[in-house]
Amino acid sequence: MNAALRQALSPARCPSGGLRVHIEGEPCVLRCSGALWVLNHRTLIAADLHLEKGSAFAARGQMLPPYDSRATLDRLEAEIEALQPAAVVLLGDSFHDAASVGRMAADDKARLDRLAAGREWIWLEGNHDIAALAGAMDDLVGEVVETMSFGSLRLIHEPQPGVQPGEIAGHLHPAARVAAHGRGVRRPCFVTDGRRAVLPAFGAFTGGLDVRDPAIAGLFAEPPMVAALGRDRVHALAWEMLR
Amino acid sequence: MTPPPAPATLSPLFADWFARRGWSPRRHQLEMIAAAEAGSHALLVAPTGGGKTLAGFLPSLVELAERGPRPAFGPGSGVHTLYLSPLKALTTDVERNLMTPIREIGLNIHVESRTGDTKQSKKARQREFPPDILLTTPEQLALFCAWDGARDYFADLKCVVLDEVHAIWSGKRGDLLSLGLGRLQQFAPAMRRVALSATVDDPEMIAGWLKPGLDDSVTIVRGDPSAPPVVDVLVSEGKVPWAGHTGQHAIPEVYEALKRSGMTLIFVNTRWQAEFVFQSLWAINEDDLPIALHHGSLAAEQRRKVEAAMARGDLRAVVCTSTLDLGIDWGDVDLVIQLAAPKGASRLVQRIGRANHRLDEPSRALMVPASRFEMLECQAAREAVAENAFDWEPVHTGTLDTLAQHVMGCACSEPFALDDLYTEITGCGPYRGLTYEAFEEVVDLVATGGYALRTYERFARIVRTQDGKWKVRNAQTAQRHRMNVGTIVAAATLNVRIASRRGGASKQLIGGRKVGEAEENYFEQMSPGDTFVFAGQVWAFQGINGMDALVTHAQDRDPKIPSWGGSKFPMSTSLASRVRAMIQDRDHWRVLPPDVQEWLELQEARSVIPDAETLLVETFPRGSRHFLVAYPFEGGLAHATLCMLLTRRLDRLGVGPLGFVCTDYSLAIWSIKPLIDKNGDGLDLGALFEPDMLGDDLESWLAESFMMKRTFRNCALISGLIEKRQPGNEKTGRQVTFSTDLIYDVLRRHQPDHLLLKTARADAAAGLLDVARLGQLLERIRGQIKHVPLERPSPFCVPVLVQIGRERVGGGQAAEMILDASAYGFDEETLIAEVMADAPPELAGAE
């Protein structure tokens, strides 16, 4: 990692396996789950949950397992248990399509309500779920907003072009690939240069876009740090190692 | 099994034609006609070149000749005979052969062929105006079963001819084929099944698979055996290399053999080897002999050109893989060279059968072993061939993902009653043991994915009708199924295309002419600019665009990326036991070249010669690592699985295993701490190799492994749970729209007993991991382990240790070991020098 990057981020390993960094000076932890933990504000941020993606495909004839929402909520619940956040922000595309809320199993719906109890619960509008959120205002616990800011951070679903200090965004589902010994490993990852960050997709069935794609790489003037999600560690990868 | 009936006599029409050609009808051809007249199903087992294909068709030609002109509609207006063969090329060739008697005798028979490549208009015409004889592939049969109106179309079917059945019957393609035959039998109960096979160890097994039901029978007709082939083993300059699997050292002598013969087929085991040998031969091709290359990854166009050139007699040699294994009539081959060990006597015989189609003269074959262990394997194969001893196939149970695809097809064709379909399916060979519960699970998988969480009922792909039958939900769903039918999936492949740059602002690379296909994971390790060999040329990789891997011609001749894969096929069990027996029989050593004999003697002096029933385990230190080398001779797949399991055990015992490598003959594991110390204290080898490692250890490793995920992906695609192609998306994007790995992980956690997980696990155990074979090994060696602690590597272990320097190593700390390896010298020369130091003078020639 070059000196400028290291200076901006000042990364450090956490006991949980995550990576502590500074984004626009704000201390954050890049968690193994793919969520972002903003320490001083006790806020947990997770992007692109795409709940009910499985059932969306089933409706179109491809019977993906109906357990994706459950699996995603399992992981979210584990983070909430571990961190006891004061606020949880879902960074957009929380639902796969307009009818997702209606397709959710009753258990999963109830779990959402339970998790939201006793804390601030914020749904940021994404592109997939604007309709879903609009239609479910009465059904869902929590607030629906387009963007939000706190500390030096500005939360939005889709990253904006140009220099955007403090921007925390999702939408792009960044993923990184490394190869060795004739085999490749591809993982979702955080992408950040200490000034702005793009979060990996949190959902169980979400695919990924290679970080070297212009849509992601183009957000940064210099090669950023790529932090790939391992089993129990977040791995900081050098840009040159990517395949 | 019914004995073959007395051979019939040929009608004058046909007898005359034979006479005009200067032939007399062979006994087995007449027996096949007799079987047809008796209305029996028949299996013809005969070596290549025995007039097998004609024997398959003759009864149908005779019947059709007697029928006279075809009625325009009503009984007899549909397809009379369906001919199925596994390879696309075969159908074009057979059509040619079939047209000859039809034309020369002047028969009024309409023959058509149909594959995935056939034009839409032609396909439509075939549906409208069925031919008398339809030549096609098993994949097309799967499609026919899903046709709306299939029952009517095939109501007239009198006969199905399955060619090269030995190559297809055992496995998923055979399962789907068997189910398809069952369907056809339903539509046309009087249909006769005729199968043509190369010589196999046990024809009864194929007959059992072929027959329509448990109580039916199949007449087995045997062709005359061919003259035993003359098989030589080439020992290059009297020396056999210590290690390796390319046969590189013998290329000049192979070239000399080419010069002396008219046309030669050079068989290798992998596409990579084919490319490599092709390049090597051309590098020394001073006489400018026309030498061609043929393997499965080349573009179809390229393969056709080579095949046509062969038939014309324009080629002196073809370097090829198993794609040329099947019985195509490609002209006069005088010599078959098997480069590197054949892995199985049956494969060797089938390949030798390619040379010299005149049955009464012996075929000539030359084996070229690439290493000393391969020398033993070649010798064993040669003896097996002389004794007519073939490899046997393990019993195969019908797979459930394949069944799911078939059930969906049936629903698309017409509504079915559960009980009726169950009866139909359990008549089919591989599915006779299918329980009703398993069948219901499969139907549930087809309908809603087979999930315990019942939220998908309203999306079901198949639904109950008013009278309780099952049918496809709607036309759209049926259309989607038909687009994906017959897909028995291999590794995901990319098209290799020559790149050109699209003009304009984007300057994006697009793919042009297609050179061939190669596995996706081959390109995953490459960066733009990396060079590799393919289709006989050196290319530079430029990038991947959707389903295309883009390449450009490379200037430098030295490819940087080592080409992919080791041997795909492990040595067969029968060959392995022969090799084990040969090693321990000192009298037998005399037939081996002097340097190999001396190598064996040096092994005896330094360590021990393993006897056939014992597992030899040598341990020694080298550098700062400790090695364990074992010699099970059970093939690379079983060894790799064994290594993974042993490594886990050693890890738990705190030994700190770093990595492993293996070959078909031996395996090596190395670690930080000594595995067994000089006093024999430390690890109990018996406990280390306990068969119970195939329980929890195997399960938990298997569940995590990437191999398992690949297998699961295949099952998901085959079963129709995931669709490879969707309407409108045929040509764009990667094969599957999302990663099946994600599905696998979620399913494992939330429904671990899901049908596809069980199916994938069974597949992985059988195919990739050879668990059954490993189990047999562990049982066999129980209490029979011979441990020899050594101070330094033995002669026997050089081949497997050399792998460390060359190939991918397995194990967690692989990167570390690679660095280590460069430090401690795992190249062949260093190892040999170490082993040969202080060798007794009479054995010094072993080098």
Side-chain angles (χ1 to χ4, degrees):
Chain A
M1 187 177 311
N2 72 43
L5 199 55
R6 189 179 291 279
Q7 170 132 41
L9 287 165
S10 47
R13 170 75 49 203
C14 293
S16 66
L19 219 53
R20 192 172 60 78
V21 296
H22 287 84
I23 300 177
E24 206 58 16
E26 191 73 58
C28 300
V29 179
L30 311 179
R31 303 272 300 170
C32 293
S33 65
L36 187 73
W37 174 238
V38 186
L39 289 150
N40 294 344
H41 299 264
R42 301 203 58 76
T43 298
L44 183 70
I45 308 175
D48 300 287
L49 266 58
H50 283 269
L51 295 170
E52 293 305 305
K53 179 168 177 176
S55 56
F57 275 83
R60 301 201 311 258
Q62 284 202 79
M63 305 298 176
L64 301 194
Y67 306 115
D68 58 317
S69 299
R70 189 182 291 186
T72 304
L73 292 176
D74 279 350
R75 282 176 35 244
L76 188 61
E77 181 162 3
E79 288 291 74
I80 292 176
E81 282 292 297
L83 298 167
Q84 295 298 325
V88 173
V89 182
L90 282 336
L91 208 61
D93 281 358
S94 311
F95 294 96
H96 188 70
D97 62 19
S100 288
V101 183
R103 288 197 309 266
M104 271 186 104
D107 285 354
D108 295 332
K109 189 69 208 17
R111 205 201 308 191
L112 258 184
D113 295 343
R114 217 177 47 244
L115 292 175
R119 51 178 59 91
E120 254 192 281
W121 193 271
I122 298 162
W123 304 94
L124 226 72
E125 281 174 350
N127 47 310
H128 279 236
D129 65 354
I130 289 190
L133 291 174
M137 288 288 222
D138 301 321
D139 230 356
L140 287 177
V141 179
E143 224 190 303
V144 178
V145 301
E146 208 181 309
T147 69
M148 86 185 266
S149 303
F150 57 83
S152 44
L153 303 179
R154 184 177 145 73
L155 276 53
I156 190 170
H157 173 68
E158 186 168 347
Q160 300 301 300
V163 178
Q164 300 286 342
E167 185 193 79
I168 306 288
H171 179 67
L172 294 172
H173 301 209
R177 223 178 143 274
V178 286
H181 311 301
R183 271 208 350 250
V185 174
R186 191 167 193 265
R187 286 282 138 76
C189 60
F190 295 89
V191 195
T192 178
D193 61 355
R195 306 213 64 199
R196 71 192 296 181
V198 180
L199 267 52
F202 193 84
F205 278 173
T206 47
L209 177 67
D210 193 298
V211 299
R212 294 167 304 162
D213 186 288
I216 300 178
L219 298 171
F220 304 91
E222 301 292 328
M225 176 183 79
V226 173
L229 308 185
R231 202 174 12 222
D232 44 20
R233 268 170 75 101
V234 174
H235 301 265
L237 303 176
W239 194 258
E240 308 77 58
M241 284 179 64
L242 303 179
R243 290 279 172 272
Chain B
M1 185 202 80
T2 43
T9 28
L10 221 41
S11 77
L13 193 62
F14 288 86
D16 282 346
W17 177 71
F18 270 90
R20 268 181 285 145
R21 291 224 115 202
W23 300 341
S24 35
R26 307 190 80 107
R27 174 191 49 80
H28 63 261
Q29 288 166 337
L30 298 176
E31 279 180 22
M32 290 295 279
I33 295 180
E37 285 172 3
S40 309
H41 307 290
L43 169 64
L44 172 60
V45 181
T48 322
K52 225 184 337 185
T53 319
L54 190 56
F57 277 116
L58 261 184
S60 295
L61 294 181
V62 168
E63 266 177 50
L64 286 167
E66 280 168 26
R67 176 199 69 180
R70 198 161 74 117
F73 46 81
S77 61
V79 178
H80 178 281
T81 294
L82 190 65
Y83 166 91
L84 300 169
S85 97
L87 273 195
K88 284 188 203 178
L90 219 45
T91 51
T92 353
D93 176 64
V94 164
E95 188 173 359
R96 234 188 304 140
N97 282 331
L98 192 53
M99 295 317 291
T100 308
I102 289 177
R103 201 179 45 244
E104 294 184 356
I105 302 180
L107 297 169
N108 188 359
I109 299 177
H110 179 198
V111 177
E112 289 224 12
S113 71
R114 180 194 180 111
T115 69
D117 296 337
T118 307
K119 282 207 188 65
Q120 250 329 102
S121 51
K122 190 171 174 196
K123 283 181 175 171
R125 206 183 60 226
Q126 284 166 356
R127 264 215 88 166
E128 187 73 33
F129 304 108
D132 292 311
I133 300 181
L134 182 59
L135 315 175
T136 187
T137 62
E139 286 68 38
Q140 289 292 307
L141 176 59
L143 186 55
F144 299 162
C145 290
W147 272 355
D148 193 355
R151 187 175 286 270
D152 286 331
Y153 190 82
F154 288 108
D156 266 340
L157 196 60
K158 296 286 180 294
C159 178
V160 167
V161 179
L162 305 179
D163 208 345
E164 308 290 352
V165 70
H166 61 279
I168 190 176
W169 73 282
S170 177
K172 291 196 184 185
R173 290 182 87 192
D175 290 348
L176 199 56
L177 181 54
S178 180
L179 291 167
L181 292 177
R183 202 88 271 252
L184 291 177
Q185 203 83 43
Q186 259 291 299
F187 298 155
M191 175 186 94
R192 262 189 342 110
R193 302 179 181 202
V194 173
L196 312 174
S197 168
T199 31
V200 291
D201 187 56
D202 187 4
E204 288 292 346
M205 288 191 77
I206 300 185
W209 172 85
L210 182 68
K211 62 187 185 183
L214 202 52
D215 300 326
D216 291 301
S217 65
V218 172
T219 303
I220 297 182
V221 174
R222 290 168 204 270
D224 293 319
S226 47
V230 172
V231 181
D232 286 316
V233 178
L234 175 68
V235 180
S236 174
E237 294 171 350
K239 293 199 192 145
V240 183
W242 281 77
H245 50 251
T246 64
Q248 165 76 338
H249 67 290
I251 294 287
E253 273 144 304
V254 167
Y255 187 68
E256 289 305 309
L258 294 191
K259 286 209 291 199
R260 289 193 303 267
S261 126
M263 168 138 89
T264 307
L265 291 184
I266 303 171
F267 278 102
V268 292
N269 288 334
T270 69
R271 291 170 219 167
W272 163 64
Q273 274 177 291
E275 296 278 356
F276 181 78
V277 168
F278 180 73
Q279 294 262 295
S280 308
L281 283 172
W282 272 97
I284 59 171
N285 190 6
E286 287 143 8
D287 289 15
D288 218 24
L289 302 177
I291 302 175
L293 175 66
H294 190 290
H295 64 63
S297 286
L298 296 177
E301 207 32 60
Q302 185 58 25
R303 278 181 274 143
R304 296 293 161 273
K305 284 192 189 151
V306 173
E307 289 156 11
M310 275 182 82
R312 284 195 307 266
D314 289 348
L315 296 173
R316 288 293 293 277
V318 181
V319 182
C320 54
T321 61
S322 55
T323 46
L324 218 50
D325 254 350
L326 301 185
I328 311 174
D329 211 335
W330 293 133
D332 265 317
V333 175
D334 311 275
L335 175 66
V336 167
I337 297 182
Q338 167 66 45
L339 206 57
K343 299 302 162 198
S346 296
R347 294 180 73 220
L348 180 59
V349 167
Q350 278 151 28
R351 287 177 170 185
I352 292 175
R354 306 298 304 101
N356 199 332
H357 274 191
R358 296 177 281 286
L359 269 190
D360 33 1
E361 286 173 40
S363 314
R364 279 199 300 139
L366 184 64
M367 282 197 280
V368 183
S371 74
R372 292 178 181 186
F373 274 122
E374 286 206 1
M375 176 74 230
L376 300 175
E377 191 181 321
C378 287
Q379 181 60 25
R382 188 190 196 184
E383 290 168 14
V385 166
E387 291 169 29
N388 260 323
F390 300 108
D391 312 303
W392 47 270
E393 295 262 12
V395 175
H396 169 82
T397 314
T399 47
L400 298 180
D401 51 346
T402 318
L403 181 58
Q405 190 186 125
H406 178 74
V407 167
M408 184 64 187
C410 293
C412 291
S413 174
E414 54 180 42
F416 67 80
L418 218 54
D419 290 350
D420 293 341
L421 190 59
Y422 177 69
T423 308
E424 179 183 319
I425 286 167
T426 46
C428 303
Y431 294 95
R432 288 195 189 123
L434 183 74
T435 62
Y436 198 79
E437 288 71 40
F439 176 60
E440 285 181 310
E441 256 193 282
V442 170
V443 174
D444 191 45
L445 178 76
V446 174
T448 53
Y451 301 115
L453 185 60
R454 313 296 303 171
T455 45
Y456 285 170
E457 301 297 337
R458 55 204 156 124
F459 305 131
R461 294 161 78 218
I462 58 177
V463 296
R464 311 285 302 243
T465 60
Q466 289 236 335
D467 49 358
K469 294 191 180 178
W470 289 88
K471 68 164 188 170
V472 69
R473 177 195 192 82
N474 55 31
Q476 212 182 3
T477 309
Q479 168 68 344
R480 301 241 301 279
H481 169 78
R482 291 182 192 120
M483 283 192 67
N484 288 279
V485 120
T487 49
I488 299 295
V489 178
T493 52
L494 299 178
N495 299 317
V496 181
R497 290 186 189 277
I498 302 184
S500 61
R501 217 166 265 283
R502 190 184 280 158
S506 70
K507 290 273 194 308
Q508 209 201 344
L509 278 179
I510 52 167
R513 180 168 74 85
K514 179 170 165 177
V515 180
E517 292 174 8
E519 280 90 21
E520 204 176 322
N521 49 28
Y522 182 54
F523 295 103
E524 287 183 345
Q525 48 176 320
M526 287 201 223
S527 300
D530 285 345
T531 53
F532 65 103
V533 180
F534 188 78
Q537 296 180 64
V538 185
W539 306 92
F541 174 69
Q542 298 304 343
I544 295 182
N545 181 12
M547 275 170 58
D548 297 333
L550 304 176
V551 298
T552 51
H553 289 282
Q555 308 305 66
D556 65 75
R557 304 293 298 162
D558 243 340
K560 299 203 176 49
I561 298 284
S563 296
W564 71 105
S567 176
K568 228 175 12 176
F569 300 100
M571 186 176 36
S572 71
T573 27
S574 16
L575 212 52
S577 39
R578 274 184 180 263
V579 173
R580 282 199 303 272
M582 187 186 298
I583 287 182
Q584 62 155 22
D585 179 2
R586 274 125 190 97
D587 289 333
H588 216 140
W589 296 0
R590 278 200 288 268
V591 304
L592 301 166
D595 59 343
V596 177
Q597 288 190 50
E598 283 155 3
W599 172 67
L600 289 165
E601 285 163 18
L602 190 60
Q603 169 72 13
E604 188 162 33
R606 289 285 173 73
S607 168
V608 139
I609 293 288
D611 70 58
E613 295 316 309
T614 312
L615 176 70
L616 171 64
V617 178
E618 295 169 340
T619 54
F620 52 87
R622 192 162 185 272
S624 60
R625 303 283 181 253
H626 296 265
F627 286 82
L628 178 151
V629 181
Y631 303 89
F633 290 94
E634 285 296 354
L637 294 182
H639 290 176
T641 308
L642 181 55
C643 282
M644 313 248 205
L645 297 172
L646 287 174
T647 319
R648 285 170 74 98
R649 279 208 163 150
L650 292 171
D651 206 24
R652 281 205 298 275
L653 294 168
V655 162
L658 294 174
F660 62 84
V661 281
C662 51
T663 66
D664 265 0
Y665 316 100
S666 52
L667 57 91
I669 300 178
W670 55 90
S671 62
I672 301 173
K673 303 211 186 112
L675 296 149
I676 292 123
D677 68 21
K678 291 199 191 61
N679 301 325
D681 287 332
L683 297 180
D684 175 355
L685 279 183
L688 190 63
F689 282 89
E690 263 295 311
D692 69 359
M693 77 164 68
L694 294 183
D696 294 335
D697 259 332
L698 178 65
E699 291 315 312
S700 58
W701 168 71
L702 193 51
E704 287 294 322
S705 74
F706 82 98
M707 251 191 269
M708 186 58 185
K709 294 183 188 180
R710 283 256 162 81
T711 311
F712 175 79
R713 175 189 160 138
N714 283 357
C715 291
L717 284 169
I718 292 169
S719 68
L721 195 83
I722 310 293
E723 279 155 15
K724 211 164 162 181
R725 287 141 75 196
Q726 279 142 52
N729 282 349
E730 299 91 320
K731 294 184 176 66
T732 64
R734 284 284 182 85
Q735 310 276 24
V736 177
T737 52
F738 39 77
S739 164
T740 43
D741 287 1
L742 300 175
I743 298 170
Y744 174 77
D745 286 333
V746 164
L747 208 48
R748 249 207 321 146
R749 191 155 310 149
H750 295 271
Q751 194 175 333
D753 64 351
H754 188 268
L755 183 61
L756 282 188
L757 289 177
K758 292 192 289 200
T759 308
R761 193 223 164 281
D763 274 3
L768 295 171
L769 307 173
D770 233 345
V771 170
R773 190 162 176 182
L774 181 55
Q776 281 159 15
L777 163 70
L778 295 174
E779 282 301 331
R780 179 166 60 80
I781 61 165
R782 226 169 168 180
Q784 310 252 49
I785 300 178
K786 171 100 182 126
H787 171 223
V788 179
L790 297 169
E791 298 295 307
R792 57 174 162 166
S794 70
F796 264 17
C797 74
V798 171
V800 74
L801 292 189
V802 165
Q803 295 294 85
I804 298 176
R806 289 194 189 162
E807 273 197 7
R808 242 183 76 191
V809 304
Q813 308 294 328
E816 285 309 303
M817 205 50 222
I818 292 292
L819 297 170
D820 260 6
S822 340
Y824 292 115
F826 281 95
D827 58 289
E828 191 168 324
E829 278 178 39
T830 314
L831 280 167
I832 292 174
E834 255 179 68
V835 170
M836 292 304 294
D838 330 316
E842 61 273 18
L843 298 180
E847 192 172 353

